[in-house]
Amino acid sequence: MTYRVVQWGTGNVGKHALAGVIANPDLELAGVWVSGPAKDGIDAGTLAGLGHPVGVTASMDTDAILAARPDCVVYCSMTDNRLMEALTDLRRILSAGINVVACAPVFFQYPYGVLPDDLLKPVQEAAAQGNASLWVNGIDPGFANDLLPLALAGTCLRIDQLRCIEIVDYASYDNREVMFDIMGFGKPLDDIPMLLQPGVLSLAWGGTVRQLAAGIGVTLDAVTETYQRIPADRSFDIATGHIAEGTAAALRFEVRGMVGDEPVTVLEHVTRLHPDLCPDWPQPAHHEGSYRVEITGEPSYAMDLVTSSSNGDHNHATLLATAMRIVNAIPAVVRAPAGILTALDLPLITNPAQR
């Protein structure tokens, strides 16, 4: 069966998702939505970096895009700085009877116990009205801290703690707004960015630790968060700008699912802008970065996932993996019952395009 698909957004993740849709013989590109006039009317092949036209041009006309009645929208628009607009988009698409796979808003990876009812219920109601499904995933939040750790957990007799860690050098990550405004790199340490405002870490990754707990059959008493920022010991440049000496250049945070006083499910990020920063923090399995799953129990595990690509570095590979995680899920999501889906609801996803 062929599924008709609209690509919604063609930024860092969206351009890879668009290429994935075009490459997959089980998917038919029915439209491309873009947010600005610079891309309006541009052929999808150009926006995907393919170097040749595919005969579908991008449009800013939301009504026309939805009127195409695709089976699924691949939603990759920026949401961190336009959350309410993104929620409006999702409600409109779902209520029109169109399924959605998305890389954000990330808290929809597992929203239960995370989102307040005034944000969650309207999306649930839109899905019910349109008899459509929403699945949000990627690498992190996503595969590296849902399917991968839960697969390992299935071989344990006992689990005392399940910890998922991203250990990545972000120097080549090409999104200035995320790096400087949202994560606060290059800013004075007393300038608290959006990501580190109280409760934001638990909103973004609280669903991760709650889903892990649900997957291993544990009821959490609380979700807590903590972070540490380290300044640059010298000035240097990254892909998106200048990091001055004394400004934020490394970030480590944890979101902890607690049972009593014990952290049982933990999401940890160790983010550097230069490999020699914070040598006492966890080090990646590869010099640029890795994802790590640590299970303390019987038996115990430590497993590292290293991404790479012949077309770019580790950050390129991770963006591509995030895109393909959702694109490859399209058939399963279209076939699934209506509602908000999580990794606990879907089968093992293996639907890559063939060469």
Side-chain angles (χ1 to χ4, degrees):
M1 179 176 180
T2 300
Y3 300 93
R4 300 180 69 252
V5 176
V6 160
Q7 176 61 44
W8 199 287
T10 59
N12 279 351
V13 174
K15 64 184 179 183
H16 295 301
L18 178 57
V21 170
I22 293 169
N24 195 317
D26 294 329
L27 306 178
E28 175 190 343
L29 184 64
V32 180
W33 182 90
V34 291
S35 60
K39 296 181 180 179
D40 192 17
I42 303 298
D43 188 89
T46 299
L47 294 175
L50 302 182
H52 60 81
V54 298
V56 177
T57 56
S59 173
M60 298 173 61
D61 188 339
T62 302
D63 291 334
I65 289 287
L66 297 182
R69 301 293 300 171
D71 297 299
C72 191
V73 160
V74 183
Y75 190 88
C76 296
S77 281
M78 182 75 167
T79 64
D80 293 335
N81 59 354
R82 50 178 298 278
L83 176 58
M84 301 314 295
E85 294 93 332
L87 293 177
T88 298
D89 289 342
L90 293 177
R91 292 196 302 270
R92 184 175 182 185
I93 297 167
L94 291 166
S95 63
I98 302 167
N99 301 285
V100 180
V101 297
C103 60
V106 294
F107 43 68
F108 277 113
Q109 180 211 18
Y110 189 87
Y112 309 111
V114 178
L115 274 188
D117 282 347
D118 62 335
L119 295 181
L120 177 59
K121 282 190 174 181
V123 177
Q124 291 176 314
E125 291 167 356
Q129 177 183 339
N131 192 33
S133 296
L134 168 66
W135 192 65
V136 177
N137 213 263
I139 284 292
D140 183 350
F143 178 82
N145 41 53
D146 57 34
L147 191 149
L148 201 61
L150 290 176
L152 273 184
T155 67
C156 291
L157 173 66
R158 186 190 78 251
I159 296 176
D160 301 322
Q161 185 184 93
L162 176 51
R163 177 180 292 265
C164 300
I165 317 174
E166 179 190 86
I167 314 170
V168 174
D169 185 331
Y170 270 38
S172 66
Y173 189 79
D174 190 15
N175 188 319
R176 182 179 175 85
E177 191 166 22
V178 168
M179 295 294 291
F180 285 82
D181 299 336
I182 294 173
M183 300 186 74
F185 290 120
K187 300 293 182 67
L189 294 187
D190 59 0
D191 183 345
I192 307 303
M194 179 194 300
L195 183 67
L196 302 180
Q197 295 294 325
V200 174
L201 289 173
S202 294
L203 180 64
W205 283 276
T208 296
V209 298
R210 292 181 184 277
Q211 182 170 240
L212 289 172
I216 62 175
V218 169
T219 300
L220 298 178
D221 296 321
V223 172
T224 65
E225 60 187 51
T226 184
Y227 71 85
Q228 181 181 6
R229 299 167 85 197
I230 299 297
D233 57 2
R234 63 190 182 281
S235 297
F236 58 89
D237 293 322
I238 61 174
T240 51
H242 183 69
I243 305 297
E245 181 179 353
T247 63
L251 170 65
R252 183 180 185 182
F253 68 77
E254 288 187 5
V255 179
R256 302 167 176 164
M258 307 293 292
V259 176
D261 295 329
E262 297 297 322
V264 175
T265 55
V266 181
L267 185 285
E268 180 179 1
H269 274 210
V270 177
T271 308
R272 298 176 173 90
L273 300 187
H274 197 282
D276 63 5
L277 289 168
C278 307
D280 55 321
W281 288 4
Q283 296 292 330
H286 184 272
H287 70 276
E288 293 177 326
S290 63
Y291 292 89
R292 182 169 297 158
V293 177
E294 295 179 349
I295 295 180
T296 304
E298 182 57 35
S300 294
Y301 287 101
M303 178 176 65
D304 283 287
L305 174 69
V306 176
T307 61
S308 64
S309 169
S310 59
N311 295 312
D313 70 359
H314 62 294
N315 281 318
H316 170 90
T318 301
L319 291 169
L320 174 58
T322 293
M324 296 316 303
R325 175 74 170 147
I326 58 175
V327 169
N328 289 336
I330 289 171
V333 171
V334 172
R335 293 192 298 263
I340 297 173
L341 306 173
T342 76
L344 303 178
D345 301 313
L346 292 185
L348 181 66
I349 295 166
T350 54
N351 188 45
Q354 302 299 312
R355 289 192 64 179

